[in-house]
Amino acid sequence: MSYNKLIDHTLLKQDATPEQIVKLCEEAKQYDFMSVCVNPSYVPLAAECLKGSDVKVCTVIGFPLGMNLTKTKIQEAELCIRQGATEIDMVINVGMLKAGHDDYVKEEIKLLKEVAGKLVLKVIIETCLLTDEEKVRACLLAKEAGADFVKTSTGFSTGGATVHDVKLMRETVGPNMGVKASGGVRTHEDLLAMVEAGASRIGTSNGTKII
């Protein structure tokens, strides 16, 4: 089985250069990955590099902390879509979730999905900061708000994807919603374990090595 279309080929490092983004896009075309995942400032460059290919341009909103104003996240998403983003990975406000302000979290996701429209919206819940109960709540809120995916991690916090978390997320959202495992997926074996646990997309900076 080919796993290339499960992979979001990712480069989100703070010191990533334009040249590295071009290389990322070239690799994504060569290996026919699902998308490249880049920071907002590189969306126009990635969109230009990938013009004419079926590789999507994924970007991150409210990244990596998720603590931006909702209005800021909305404006960031709108601008990124205008500049060529075709998938959106947003970070929830983890503090609001942990404080029990579920309506805030759900409404923010709902507003971002309205901006995304038919484009794919993935919701990063940052599993390493949550209890299992909070992970379940976050996933259900994302599902109720109309998101297309729940995603484990930014890769910039205290931990990444685990088999336990991916399995829990899949059990929570059911068979028809996407689950993206991101953070620490470095080998073919890692990818297989995440897929076995229920992941339908993999975010990794090691896509070429894995394939």
Side-chain angles (χ1 to χ4, degrees):
M1 178 179 174
S2 175
Y3 292 101
N4 54 321
K5 282 299 187 188
L6 291 180
I7 291 176
D8 289 345
H9 196 35
T10 303
L11 179 55
L12 296 168
K13 289 181 178 177
Q14 192 173 3
D15 59 354
T17 65
E19 291 75 20
Q20 289 173 318
I21 298 299
V22 170
K23 182 172 182 281
L24 186 84
C25 293
E26 292 303 321
E27 289 171 348
K29 287 190 285 188
Q30 178 184 345
Y31 290 92
D32 195 27
F33 292 137
M34 177 58 82
S35 80
V36 297
C37 190
V38 299
N39 279 297
S41 61
Y42 283 137
V43 165
L45 176 60
E48 180 63 31
C49 290
L50 294 170
K51 193 181 290 182
S53 79
D54 72 343
V55 179
K56 297 178 184 296
V57 178
C58 175
T59 195
V60 288
I61 300 300
F63 193 86
L65 300 179
M67 302 299 276
N68 312 57
L69 294 167
T70 298
K71 185 176 180 181
T72 303
K73 290 181 181 177
I74 290 169
Q75 291 174 336
E76 187 175 36
E78 288 172 340
L79 185 56
C80 285
I81 290 167
R82 283 204 298 272
Q83 293 187 333
T86 52
E87 293 197 346
I88 299 293
D89 289 16
M90 66 165 288
V91 188
I92 65 164
N93 188 314
V94 174
M96 295 297 269
L97 178 83
K98 293 185 81 69
H101 298 303
D102 290 10
D103 288 346
Y104 179 101
V105 176
K106 181 178 174 180
E107 180 65 13
E108 186 172 81
I109 298 168
K110 182 171 172 285
L111 289 169
L112 265 292
K113 182 55 187 172
E114 287 173 5
V115 170
K118 292 181 180 179
L119 302 181
V120 167
L121 175 70
K122 309 187 203 94
V123 177
I124 305 171
I125 66 172
E126 203 67 281
T127 48
C128 60
L129 301 179
L130 305 178
T131 66
D132 280 1
E133 183 272 334
E134 289 165 344
K135 292 166 199 170
V136 168
R137 270 177 40 228
C139 288
L140 291 175
L141 291 169
K143 185 176 182 179
E144 290 164 10
D148 303 284
F149 275 77
V150 284
K151 175 178 169 182
T152 59
S153 321
T154 61
F156 283 74
S157 189
T158 59
T162 68
V163 166
H164 168 80
D165 287 342
V166 170
K167 188 175 180 186
L168 178 64
M169 291 164 74
R170 172 55 68 202
E171 288 171 351
T172 301
V173 301
N176 299 321
M177 190 175 180
V179 174
K180 178 174 172 179
S182 186
V185 183
R186 298 187 178 94
T187 67
H188 189 67
E189 290 71 29
D190 291 340
L191 181 144
L192 292 177
M194 295 302 171
V195 171
E196 177 80 14
S200 48
R201 193 79 69 89
I202 303 294
T204 180
S205 57
N206 293 281
T208 55
K209 178 185 169 187
I210 288 170
I211 293 299

